[in-house]
Amino acid sequence: MLEALQFEFMQNALIAGLLASVACGIIGVYVVVKKIVFISGGIAHASFGGVGLGYLLGVNPVITATFFTVASALGMGLVSKRTKLPEDTAIGILWSMGMAMGIIFIGLSPGYAPDLFSYLFGNILTVPTSDITLMIILDIVIAVIVVALYKEFMVLSFDEEFGRVMGVPVERLYLLLLCMIALTVVILMRVVGIILVISMLTIPASLAKMCTTNLRKMMLLSTIFGAIFTFAGLWLSYELDLASGATIILVSGSVLLISLAVSKIRSRRNRIKKLSTTAFNSHGNK
Amino acid sequence: MTDKEIVKLEDVWVYYDGAPALEGINLTVEQGDFLGIIGPNGGGKTTLLKVILGLIKPSRGKISIMGEPPEKRHSVVGYVPQYNLFARDFPINAIDVVLMGHCGRTRLFKRYSEEDRKSARSALKSIGMLDYEEHQIGKLSGGEQQRVFIARALVSKPKLLLLDEPTSSVDAATQTEFYETLEGLKQRMAIVIVSHDIGAVSIYVDKLACLNRQLFYHGSSEISPEVLEATYKCPVQMIAHGTIPHRVLKEH
């Protein structure tokens, strides 16, 4: 692995992994605590329409995907909040419509669509420097917005109705949050791919949630976990010659499952210990 | 409007898809009032609350809070939502929940000020929860969580405290303790409790109203079986358990 680091593609891969960890570390926390995993999945899949648009127009698909994904996030938010369609129905419909548009766009574009697979399933080893620049910009946008509106997003995530009562513009904040999820999707697209984005948005944050009860610390931890998983997955995929995106996901998923099991066993053991000490004490009191 | 008047609803109607949820509500809450609004589920309790909070605009009629429309008077009303509606595992400490009571006033890019923190702490102190400020909200007991939510409503120094089903899913001892907390706040603000639980509410409040789309208002908290029947559309038996202090209502 170390000798591989002298290659530019490997350096880019590490930088891309780190940038992706920052975005999914911050935004993933909101996705998990506000329980908006389904709409995030919808936004992620709809981004495929933007990739298709890029092929059709002959420009960098990541750029078209940025605009298309933000637009579909806003669309999903507005349709699910303002129309009579139940929220999950609205999300499901726009989810598949976005993907359908991607397929039509790619069909209409001339010739063969190269590295389409890397958008769907990610290929961190092929991230060009231009995409890295874009990822840095998007990361900064996300970080600035979250710092600026930290209290407001806290209210939005914890108690939307109370925020509304206090005069906080919750609907606009929610739409903004969806837009940031869209930007995160674009950042993660090259690393793990559209289809696998949702696990990077959920796994590091869920793991962080098991460690802390402070939202800020949860973001920091989740970013660190994301970086560790990305690097570990990248190394494994390099050593074993496996698909990088999928390896990253399986590494993080396995760690999460193992920690869940460990914490379950630990809490059961604690309970038994407590029971036996109280039994002992009451015995001693007699 | 008199100086003491905090909330005034005049002939308020609310329709949902053409069906009336509230019919011609007239209600005045004055300074020092401790009012209970009871009624069956689906009787419009939540709708009435939302009208007072400014979340629903009445289809007809007028609502004013200290002479102004409710959306201009956010800080006058302290709102305590049904406490079991939040995610218990949310990564947030008691003090941060209480700080949310300031979120309407502070500006963007600004953190909560030291003054905000001070008033949040004193709100926690006033209901005896200061020792728990760094506890994660879900790790507190039901009664403690509820007191944290009351503290959150208190930080904006409201003139009216509005509580939605405060005693649902709380045990009897906690309930008594809870009403004693409110008793202590009564001097400083008007209190309105909305609940389907006739027994508990009518013991403590000074005035009582029954809501089933229409509002049957009573000056005192004695309430006749006829009115209860009219509200609930079925005979209602009033029950009091064991050692809870209770009020024996005169025969009608």
Side-chain angles (χ1 to χ4, degrees), chain A residues 9-87:
Chain A
F9 71 86
M10 210 58 188
Q11 292 162 3
N12 277 359
L14 286 179
I15 296 169
L18 197 62
L19 293 171
S21 310
V22 172
C24 74
I26 298 171
I27 298 304
V29 165
Y30 288 118
V31 171
V32 167
V33 299
K34 195 164 163 50
K35 302 192 167 89
I36 45 174
V37 174
F38 187 57
I39 195 164
S40 310
I43 293 170
H45 283 76
S47 71
F48 186 63
V51 173
L53 192 62
Y55 280 113
L56 181 64
L57 301 176
V59 296
N60 182 353
V62 176
I63 300 208
T64 46
T66 307
F67 293 102
F68 190 92
T69 317
V70 168
S72 36
L74 286 174
M76 267 182 219
L78 288 172
V79 171
S80 64
K81 289 281 169 191
R82 293 211 184 151
T83 65
K84 291 205 165 171
L85 276 181
E87 184 161 355

Side-chain angles (χ1 to χ4, degrees), chain A:
Chain A
M1 178 82 176
L2 279 176
E3 70 271 18
L5 282 176
Q6 58 190 306
F7 300 116
E8 197 193 336
F9 71 86
M10 210 58 188
Q11 292 162 3
N12 277 359
L14 286 179
I15 296 169
L18 197 62
L19 293 171
S21 310
V22 172
C24 74
I26 298 171
I27 298 304
V29 165
Y30 288 118
V31 171
V32 167
V33 299
K34 195 164 163 50
K35 302 192 167 89
I36 45 174
V37 174
F38 187 57
I39 195 164
S40 310
I43 293 170
H45 283 76
S47 71
F48 186 63
V51 173
L53 192 62
Y55 280 113
L56 181 64
L57 301 176
V59 296
N60 182 353
V62 176
I63 300 208
T64 46
T66 307
F67 293 102
F68 190 92
T69 317
V70 168
S72 36
L74 286 174
M76 267 182 219
L78 288 172
V79 171
S80 64
K81 289 281 169 191
R82 293 211 184 151
T83 65
K84 291 205 165 171
L85 276 181
E87 184 161 355
D88 54 344
T89 310
I91 296 165
I93 291 168
L94 291 174
W95 169 318
S96 45
M97 276 180 71
M99 294 210 82
M101 283 164 85
I103 294 163
I104 299 284
F105 289 150
I106 288 169
L108 289 176
S109 49
Y112 173 70
D115 54 68
L116 181 61
F117 243 63
S118 80
Y119 290 104
L120 284 173
F121 299 104
N123 190 351
I124 196 170
L125 296 174
T126 59
V127 180
T129 312
S130 63
D131 284 3
I132 298 247
T133 317
L134 184 72
M135 286 167 84
I136 293 174
I137 295 170
L138 296 184
D139 261 345
I140 292 173
V141 170
I142 289 171
V144 168
I145 293 177
V146 169
V147 170
L149 297 168
Y150 184 77
K151 325 188 275 312
E152 283 75 9
F153 281 125
M154 178 79 114
V155 178
L156 176 79
S157 320
F158 182 67
D159 194 343
E160 221 176 292
E161 193 189 28
F162 185 78
R164 208 170 288 130
V165 169
M166 296 298 291
V168 175
V170 280
E171 194 187 77
R172 267 178 281 167
L173 281 170
Y174 180 62
L175 292 176
L176 183 60
L177 181 60
L178 294 185
C179 289
M180 289 198 294
I181 293 174
L183 298 184
T184 310
V185 165
V186 173
I187 294 174
L188 288 172
M189 198 151 72
R190 278 296 202 165
V191 177
V192 290
I194 290 166
I195 314 256
L196 306 179
V197 158
I198 205 66
S199 50
M200 280 308 275
L201 276 174
T202 49
I203 296 172
S206 307
L207 205 55
K209 194 166 167 221
M210 294 165 67
C211 308
T212 177
T213 59
N214 177 302
L215 204 70
R216 265 195 204 96
K217 282 187 196 142
M218 195 175 152
M219 287 177 180
L220 185 68
L221 272 178
S222 144
T223 303
I224 294 171
F225 289 145
I228 294 173
F229 293 148
T230 322
F231 296 159
L234 187 58
W235 169 74
L236 257 184
S237 71
Y238 180 84
E239 293 291 333
L240 305 175
D241 196 21
L242 297 169
S244 56
T247 314
I248 292 169
I249 301 302
L250 288 180
V251 167
S252 16
S254 315
V255 173
L256 180 71
L257 291 178
I258 291 168
S259 0
L260 281 175
V262 167
S263 80
K264 181 112 194 171
I265 292 168
R266 201 180 282 162
S267 73
R268 186 173 296 171
R269 194 174 289 168
N270 281 345
R271 212 180 309 143
I272 292 170
K273 208 183 273 174
K274 214 182 262 173
L275 275 177
S276 60
T277 46
T278 47
F280 177 76
N281 285 343
S282 62
H283 202 72
N285 286 340
K286 275 182 189 169

Side-chain angles (χ1 to χ4, degrees), chain B residues 94-115:
Chain B
I95 185 78
D96 291 311
V97 173
V98 178
L99 276 168
M100 276 182 193
H102 284 301
C103 68
R105 282 193 302 119
T106 46
R107 275 169 299 138
L108 305 185
F109 281 96
K110 280 233 164 168
R111 289 187 171 200
Y112 293 116
S113 65
E114 206 34 59
E115 210 166 298

Side-chain angles (χ1 to χ4, degrees), chain B residues 38-234:
Chain B
I38 58 170
N41 290 326
K45 294 192 300 286
T46 309
T47 309
L48 180 62
L49 264 178
K50 287 188 169 169
V51 169
I52 297 176
L53 289 168
L55 298 179
I56 294 180
K57 276 212 178 334
S59 321
R60 215 172 87 196
K62 212 184 124 199
I63 159 132
S64 61
I65 296 190
M66 297 184 77
E68 299 239 30
E71 56 272 21
K72 285 195 180 162
R73 288 290 194 179
H74 290 304
S75 62
V76 174
V77 184
Y79 173 50
V80 183
Q82 279 187 40
Y83 96 103
N84 47 0
L85 289 182
F86 72 99
R88 235 142 269 225
D89 59 346
F90 197 96
I92 189 169
N93 295 339
I95 185 78
D96 291 311
V97 173
V98 178
L99 276 168
M100 276 182 193
H102 284 301
C103 68
R105 282 193 302 119
T106 46
R107 275 169 299 138
L108 305 185
F109 281 96
K110 280 233 164 168
R111 289 187 171 200
Y112 293 116
S113 65
E114 206 34 59
E115 210 166 298
D116 291 341
R117 287 183 179 278
K118 244 182 231 165
S119 72
R121 280 208 190 88
S122 75
L124 275 176
K125 199 176 172 192
S126 72
I127 49 156
M129 287 294 292
L130 192 56
D131 291 344
Y132 298 91
E133 61 172 325
E134 298 299 333
H135 282 57
Q136 195 258 332
I137 186 75
K139 299 228 168 78
L140 301 174
S141 73
E144 289 164 346
Q145 286 173 10
Q146 204 166 37
R147 280 191 273 164
V148 171
F149 285 104
I150 293 176
R152 178 176 73 170
L154 292 179
V155 288
S156 61
K157 302 207 164 45
K159 294 271 184 287
L160 169 70
L161 191 62
L162 206 55
L163 302 109
D164 189 7
E165 298 281 4
T167 51
S168 62
S169 59
V170 187
D171 60 52
T174 314
Q175 240 179 58
T176 314
E177 197 186 35
F178 165 77
Y179 281 109
E180 274 156 16
T181 311
L182 291 187
E183 229 21 72
L185 297 170
K186 220 165 77 174
Q187 275 78 38
R188 284 187 280 152
M189 63 200 73
I191 300 176
V192 174
I193 294 182
V194 168
S195 178
H196 70 275
D197 185 356
I198 319 161
V201 172
S202 59
I203 293 165
Y204 294 94
V205 297
D206 300 330
K207 293 179 181 176
L208 202 55
C210 301
L211 181 70
N212 193 358
R213 294 210 299 272
Q214 293 163 338
L215 192 73
F216 303 90
Y217 184 68
H218 311 275
S220 75
S221 67
E222 288 182 9
I223 186 167
S224 70
E226 293 78 36
V227 169
L228 272 182
E229 284 187 33
T231 312
Y232 281 82
K233 307 283 185 219
C234 67

